[in-house]
Each structure stands twice: as C-alpha cells, then as structure tokens.
Amino acid sequence: MGFPDSEVKFGQQELIHAVVPLLKLLCLAVIGTLLAHPKTQIVPKSTFKLLSKLVFALFLPCTIFFHLGQSISVQNLALWWFIPVNVIISTVIGCLLGLLVAVICRPPPEFFRFTVIVTGFGNTGNLMLAIVGSICHNANNTFSPNCHTTGTAYVSLAQWVSVLLVYTLVYHMMEPPLEYYEVVEDEGEIEIVHDLPVNNLSRPLLHEAEWPGMEDQATEHCKTPFIARVFANVSDFSQSSIPDPDSLQDVHEREHPQSPKSIRCLAEPRMVRKMRIVAEQTPVRHILQPPTVATFLALIIGMVPSLKSIVYGDDAPLSFLTDSLDIMAGAMVPSVMLVLGGMLAEGPNESRLGIRTTVGILVARLLILPMLGIGVVFAADRLSFLIEGDKMFRFVLLLQYPTPSAILFGAIASLRGYAVSEASALLFWQHVFALFSLSMYSIVYIKLLLTYI
C-alpha cells in the first residue's frame, strides 16, 4: 500500500528544509578545508587566524547587537527565561552522560575529569548561529519570515550563559590533576609562557577558532592544580611550581595591610577562606569580551523603549548605524564555516584517550544526548514553559543538544596545560561525525515541530 501524495510531498519538503541548509554550511567548510590544507596552502594559517579575530571582535558582535536588540524587550525577556535554563540542563545531563562514559569506558585516570566535562559542554555559540542563519536564508523556510532575527536573538541569549560556564565550571574542571602533575610536567605542558605574542603562528588554529586571545590571558596559576592544592592541604608535595595558598594569603596581607576592623572580619572558617581564594583566581573578569559586551548593550537598549526607538527601526535616527552593522553581520556565517574548515584541515592530533573512550564520547554527545533533549523540551512544552506556537524557539532549544563539544575546549586545554592533544583530536572527530548526526536530528526536529506544534 502506497502513501498518499500529500504525505510523500510532506516528507520531501521536510527533508529539503532540514538537509539543504546543512549542505550549504558543509560546502563552506569544505572550501575552508581546501584553502587551508597543508598540501595546497592557498591561504596561509595567519589569514585564518585574522579571520577568526574578525569574527570574534566584529562580525559576531554586530550579529548579536543587530538581531538581539530588535527582538528583546522586558516582556520577551520574561518569556525567554527557559533558554538559559535549558543550557544549564543540557550541560548537567551531558556531564552525567560523561560520567557514565568514564565509568564504562575507563579512560586513563588522568583524563577521567576531562571525559566528563567534554561530554557535557556543547557548542552553543557560533555553530548554532551558522545553522540558524543557513536555515533562515530562504524566505520560504519552515519557520516565520523573521526567523533569522528571532533565532539569532535566542542563540545570543544562550551564549552568555555558555561563556560564564567556560570561565567558571570548565576553567576549573580543566586544571591539571594533582595526582598526575609529574606526568603532565614531564611532557612540558605546564610551563607558563609569558609575553606570548598575539599572532603566534605556532598555535593550532583550533586554539584561535572561537575565542581568540584566550591563551594570552594566562595567569600565574592557570597551568597548575590550584584548586586541588588549596583543598587537599598537601604540605609535603615536591613540586615547587604549585602555589601554596597560605603563602599567597600572607603575601597579600603584607602588601595590603588591613585595618583592625578588617582583621576581625577576616576571622572566617577555613573552608570559606579556601573558597574565597579559589574565587579570587577565577578569571570571570575576562567575560567582558566583544560578544558579551554586544549582548549587554543589546539587552539594555532593547529593553528601554525610548532608546530602542532611536537605534532600531526604519525610521530611527540611528538606522544608518544598525544597517551598517547588519551588512557586516552578513559575513559571520561564511567566516565561521571557513575557519572551521581551516581547523579541520589541520587534522587530528595523537590522543591517549583510547578508541573506546573516544567512541563513547561521540555516541553520548552526538546521539544519546539529543534524544534526551527531545524529552526535556517536550516536557517543558507540556508544562507550558515555552512560548506557545513558536517553532523557532523550540528548534533553538532542541539544537542545544546535538551540537559537538565547544571549540573553546581547545583554547581552555592549552590555557590550562591539560589534555591539549586529546581535546584537539576529540574536537576534530566530533565535528566530522556531527555533519551526519546534525543532519539526522535536524530532520527529526523539523518533523516533530511540523507535526505536533
């Protein structure tokens, strides 16, 4: 028995809407790979590094400011509350899956924590913006005519949560393990390099692909097991390069003498003191980078009607400025995919994770987590947490689950001196296989959204 013609046409239509946008992105990535391949070297690596800096400092902030500022309002912000919550939920579920992978696949002990965090933290930034931009490129897309503006606004709101997680949870979870400090040190991965030039061509493109300049923000303790040292009270540890928190506190008190009232206030519990020392070493101050600054400005201007009427709209006095930003924002999607292609052209590094652990992370991150994400989003829909009838809102929430691990892991791993080769190899294979898993889940998502919403 054959299917009715309407059902056949519906299946073909959803297939086109799901696969064609990803094929566009794939073509851009392949072009970047061909341009940057070592055998051709049509475009040198330095050009891709400059392009990634343009994306980070110009194209991405313009995209966020233009689209988020138009869509945001006090009422919309109250309706979009589940977007940052979904980022946290996806990260928690991913970390639990990573813990399961680490227990089942048994990676080398020094990479147990790495397996957990790399499975949990996904690419909720540039890649999602590229997918949304490609899907909304045609006027007859599956979603509304203004899906590009709303979709970009949804992704931008989620991105600042991811950046905050990077400089807190991921930063501390990626510190070198204390019990394997000698192993890491023998491989020359914990040496702190001062005054590293910004355009150092020896760095892999992976370290500059999404958050350029992160390695230049290295602190005195970024390549040492600082938290483990603070909380383990290891007084007889031989490595002189590991900082002693007690000596740090003594030096700080000598350089900044306190008043009698302040001294009384410093009589705090030992655990609270340790937590305060760790908090002081958390580089949250680096969160104020161009994309996050653009997000804050768009939120402030968009939620104040008098300011919004001046900046946004065809009749706004500053419409020429937003039009200029929109023109520059148009270069973001091709630039992001060209840089990704250049990163893939460098190929995978050697990894000591083992094939079993690598496959386990790929399956958990790219196959199992998206299925759990469908359950989370549809449960939230049943509980009336989501905007009624907004397919793009649900699509962005679903899209936070099947993306590969964030490219930021390459920069964080190099910054912390921990699992540098393993992060590079894993990110390479994840982005290769994500081409197929993202296509599959895009079809599933669009099918579900068209059927049930």
Side-chain angles (χ1 to χ4, degrees):
M1 181 181 294
F3 292 98
D5 292 339
S6 60
E7 294 183 3
V8 174
K9 291 180 181 178
F10 178 78
Q12 292 176 347
Q13 190 73 6
E14 70 184 21
L15 185 65
I16 291 173
H17 284 308
V19 174
V20 170
L22 291 174
L23 289 177
K24 298 176 186 177
L25 299 181
L26 177 61
C27 289
L28 293 173
V30 169
I31 292 173
T33 302
L34 294 175
L35 293 176
H37 197 276
K39 292 185 178 180
T40 58
Q41 280 292 318
I42 299 175
V43 177
K45 182 192 293 187
S46 59
T47 303
F48 282 93
K49 288 183 179 292
L50 290 174
L51 183 60
S52 68
K53 292 180 186 296
L54 279 174
V55 172
F56 177 73
L58 182 61
F59 300 152
L60 180 58
C62 289
T63 302
I64 293 174
F65 184 82
F66 179 78
H67 293 289
L68 179 60
Q70 286 189 96
S71 303
I72 198 66
S73 65
V74 176
Q75 181 181 3
N76 285 343
L77 190 61
L79 294 174
W80 299 354
W81 65 271
F82 193 75
I83 293 177
V85 171
N86 191 60
V87 175
I88 297 174
I89 292 175
S90 65
T91 303
V92 171
I93 297 176
C95 288
L96 292 177
L97 284 176
L99 180 62
L100 187 62
V101 170
V103 171
I104 295 176
C105 299
R106 289 179 290 181
E110 62 268 31
F111 300 124
F112 187 94
R113 188 175 356 113
F114 170 78
T115 302
V116 174
I117 195 67
V118 79
T119 308
F121 192 80
N123 191 331
T124 57
N126 297 355
L127 183 59
M128 285 184 59
L129 287 172
I131 293 174
V132 168
S134 181
I135 287 178
C136 299
H137 184 262
N138 294 328
N140 58 342
N141 57 77
T142 307
F143 308 99
S144 60
N146 62 338
C147 78
H148 191 194
T149 297
T150 56
T152 302
Y154 296 154
V155 176
S156 302
L157 188 63
Q159 192 173 35
W160 72 266
V161 183
S162 302
V163 174
L164 185 62
L165 289 175
V166 165
Y167 279 111
T168 53
L169 175 65
V170 176
Y171 179 84
H172 288 309
M173 287 287 286
M174 288 289 288
E175 79 169 18
L178 178 64
E179 59 272 27
Y180 297 97
Y181 192 70
E182 290 183 346
V183 176
V184 179
E185 185 178 32
D186 290 339
E187 294 175 1
E189 292 181 358
I190 66 165
E191 296 180 3
I192 301 176
V193 181
H194 298 284
D195 300 327
L196 201 60
V198 175
N199 286 328
N200 188 357
L201 297 181
S202 63
R203 294 178 186 169
L205 182 60
L206 173 70
H207 300 170
E208 302 282 336
E210 194 167 273
W211 202 265
M214 178 178 287
E215 289 184 76
D216 300 319
Q217 299 171 1
T219 61
E220 182 182 358
H221 311 303
C222 67
K223 295 185 186 294
T224 61
F226 184 80
I227 294 182
R229 175 65 170 159
V230 169
F231 285 93
N233 288 327
V234 183
S235 59
D236 56 349
F237 205 70
S238 58
Q239 271 74 14
S240 59
S241 57
I242 298 181
D244 185 355
D246 293 327
S247 63
L248 272 177
Q249 183 71 14
D250 294 339
V251 171
H252 180 77
E253 290 178 356
R254 286 197 302 268
E255 293 179 352
H256 304 280
Q258 307 292 330
S259 63
K261 183 177 180 179
S262 299
I263 293 175
R264 288 197 303 269
C265 293
L266 290 176
E268 55 189 356
R270 185 173 181 82
M271 182 57 66
V272 175
R273 176 171 170 269
K274 290 179 178 180
M275 294 174 64
R276 179 172 53 80
I277 292 173
V278 171
E280 291 173 353
Q281 295 298 322
T282 303
V284 181
R285 62 189 180 277
H286 295 315
I287 195 174
L288 292 177
Q289 299 294 330
T292 49
V293 171
T295 302
F296 293 145
L297 289 176
L299 290 174
I300 293 172
I301 296 175
M303 289 191 296
V304 179
S306 58
L307 293 177
K308 189 173 184 177
S309 62
I310 296 175
V311 178
Y312 298 101
D314 295 335
D315 297 329
L318 296 181
S319 60
F320 67 91
L321 175 61
T322 51
D323 289 344
S324 301
L325 297 180
D326 186 28
I327 293 173
M328 288 187 286
M332 194 213 67
V333 171
S335 299
V336 166
M337 299 312 299
L338 287 174
V339 172
L340 177 61
M343 184 196 81
L344 296 178
E346 296 182 345
N349 289 350
E350 295 183 2
S351 173
R352 290 176 294 154
L353 273 180
I355 297 179
R356 182 170 58 182
T357 304
T358 302
V359 173
I361 294 174
L362 292 175
V363 172
R365 178 75 228 175
L366 301 180
L367 296 179
I368 298 178
L369 182 60
M371 288 190 289
L372 298 177
I374 294 175
V376 171
V377 175
F378 273 79
D381 194 16
R382 293 293 297 272
L383 294 172
S384 301
F385 291 163
L386 311 184
I387 302 175
E388 185 177 356
D390 192 336
K391 295 184 178 64
M392 176 53 71
F393 188 83
R394 289 160 176 78
F395 183 75
V396 169
L397 293 177
L398 290 168
L399 202 60
Q400 291 174 357
Y401 290 89
T403 55
S405 298
I407 300 176
L408 281 173
F409 265 104
I412 289 287
S414 181
L415 179 68
R416 301 311 307 264
Y418 170 51
V420 180
S421 298
E422 287 70 24
S424 176
L426 194 58
L427 288 173
F428 174 84
W429 292 117
Q430 280 201 41
H431 281 80
V432 168
F433 286 103
L435 298 174
F436 305 99
S437 62
L438 273 173
S439 300
M440 179 185 70
Y441 275 107
S442 295
I443 297 173
V444 173
Y445 293 161
I446 292 179
K447 170 70 173 180
L448 292 174
L449 293 174
L450 293 179
T451 304
Y452 297 105
I453 304 301

